[in-house]
Structures are given as C-alpha cells and as structure tokens.
Amino acid sequence: MAAAVGWAVRRLPVTRVKITGGEPLLRAGLVSFVRALAGEPGVGEISMTTNGSRLSALAAGLAPVKLNAVLRRSTFESDVPALLEFASERGLEVRFIELMRTGPAAAFATDEFVSSREVRERLALGLGCALEPSESGAGPARRLRVRIQGVEVVTGWIEPISHSFCGGCRRLRLDSRGDLRRCLMDPEPLPLLARLEAGDGDGLEEDVDRFLLGRRPPLSFETPRSMAAIGG
C-alpha cells in the first residue's frame, strides 16, 4: 500500500496523507507503514483518524488533535454541549459530521439524521452560544469558534447532506484493497495497487489522468458499502 501512496505522491499533486479505517491502530505493521510513508519524498504531512484507544495522543504531544463526532437527532442536545466542554478543557477541536446513508446503517441514518444548521441554531438559541467564523483549513469542514459558558472551542462542521463541499474537494482515497477513489461515494474505483503489483505500469499515468477527469459530484451521499470498506 505504501508503494501505491508513493506512486500517487510522485505523479499527482499530493502532499498530505491521512490514514483512516476502520481502526488503523489494529493493523499489524502500522509503525513500519507510517515510517515508509514518511520516507516518501514529497509527503509533507501524515495524519490519522483513530478512536485513540491504543494511542496516548495528548500525552505524546501530538498536535493538533481533533475529535470527530457524528450528529444524531436523538442525542445531540446533550452530546454536543458535553463534547464542547470536554474539548475546551483539553484544547481540542471538535468536528461535527452529518450522518450519511452508508452500508447496513442506511436506515439508522435516515431515522437519526439532523442537519448541522439545526444543531447550530439550538446552540445559539437554546444554550446562548456565540458562533463566529474561524480561519478555514485544508479539509471540507466549515470552521467556527463557539463561545459557551465563558470558554471558546474551535469547531468544524462537515455537511455532506445539507451543504455540499464537492466543488472545493481535492481529496483522493485509496481504499483497503488499494483501489483509487475520487470520492467516498465513487462507484467506479481504479485498481491502482493491483496494477502496480502486476507490473502493469504501461499507460497507468494516462489512465489515472482520464480517471480523474471523470470526477463528478455524487448524485447522493448514499452507498451500499460500509465506511470501513471505503476508508471513511
């Protein structure tokens, strides 16, 4: 897999690499994998999405540390203030993500969906929070500073359903099989790793170029695949 990432970094405008899952810390050989990625010329940043249970992130001095939280209609009124308080005490940023209809969780997502706008309105009107724009980052999140009970927390709002960010998205994905995807919802990936391992490099750059030119916003943020299979 590191070879496929290295190929992409050398031939595409890729400088930042994020390792996602499932849970990447359960993968054997993760340390050597990260070491191999760090050794690739052109890789300027490596980050990871993890549940943190096998990594003392804060104690190790890693920064920045961001908390990802998926919004649920049945629990957001208690969960969101609690997460803001938790983050303020530790100097963390919280990313609130709208539910997407993926894999076997599609029906659950339909029942539990709540828009980020509704959550922010509840924070402002119900809890008296002040929300102010913050500097934008490189990812898809809309960043806001939230002032609550005398403290300030930087938040990011990822809104694939209510406020599409497709127009500004420049991300590519390699799923767990080494297939290159233009989007989480991409139904037609390109088997990059398989072609590299088979020595099928002739015309690969041209094929990837054509593949990327076919990038289009998805018709909907729904897929029968689970997030773990895609690398969400």
Side-chain angles (χ1 to χ4, degrees), residues 46 49 111 144 171 194 210 222:
I46 300 173
T49 300
D111 293 339
L144 299 171
R171 294 188 171 190
R210 282 192 294 271
E222 296 185 32

Side-chain angles (χ1 to χ4, degrees), residues 71-180:
L71 296 168
R72 294 175 54 185
R73 176 166 294 281
S74 63
T75 63
F76 82 88
E77 291 186 273
S78 58
D79 289 349
V80 170
L83 280 169
L84 291 172
E85 180 181 0
F86 181 86
S88 70
E89 293 171 350
R90 293 161 177 81
L92 309 178
E93 180 175 336
V94 186
R95 296 290 180 95
F96 294 110
I97 306 169
E98 289 181 341
L99 266 172
M100 291 177 282
R101 290 174 54 88
T102 61
F108 169 84
T110 298
D111 293 339
E112 286 282 3
F113 177 80
V114 59
S115 72
S116 61
R117 178 179 179 178
E118 183 176 341
V119 174
R120 290 194 296 269
E121 288 176 348
R122 172 59 179 159
L123 286 175
L125 300 177
L127 299 176
C129 296
L131 289 84
E132 303 172 355
S134 182
E135 67 280 2
S136 61
R142 179 187 300 190
R143 301 181 81 224
L144 299 171
R145 292 192 303 273
V146 177
R147 300 180 190 274
I148 179 172
Q149 298 178 351
V151 300
E152 181 178 284
V153 184
V154 176
T155 63
W157 302 80
I158 300 177
E159 308 163 306
I161 308 301
S162 66
H163 190 271
S164 174
F165 46 78
C166 294
C169 180
R170 297 294 181 268
R171 294 188 171 190
L172 295 173
R173 293 179 180 271
L174 274 174
D175 66 19
S176 57
R177 299 173 180 82
D179 290 344
L180 186 66

Side-chain angles (χ1 to χ4, degrees), residues 16 18 45-48 57-58 61-67 91-93 95 143:
R16 304 171 68 227
K18 180 184 290 290
E45 176 183 304
I46 300 173
S47 58
M48 182 183 298
L58 293 178
L62 296 176
V65 175
K66 303 171 184 177
L67 297 177
L92 309 178
E93 180 175 336
R95 296 290 180 95
R143 301 181 81 224

Side-chain angles (χ1 to χ4, degrees), residues 19 29-39 46 48:
I19 303 168
L30 178 66
V31 173
S32 59
F33 177 61
V34 172
R35 186 180 294 116
L37 293 180
I46 300 173
M48 182 183 298

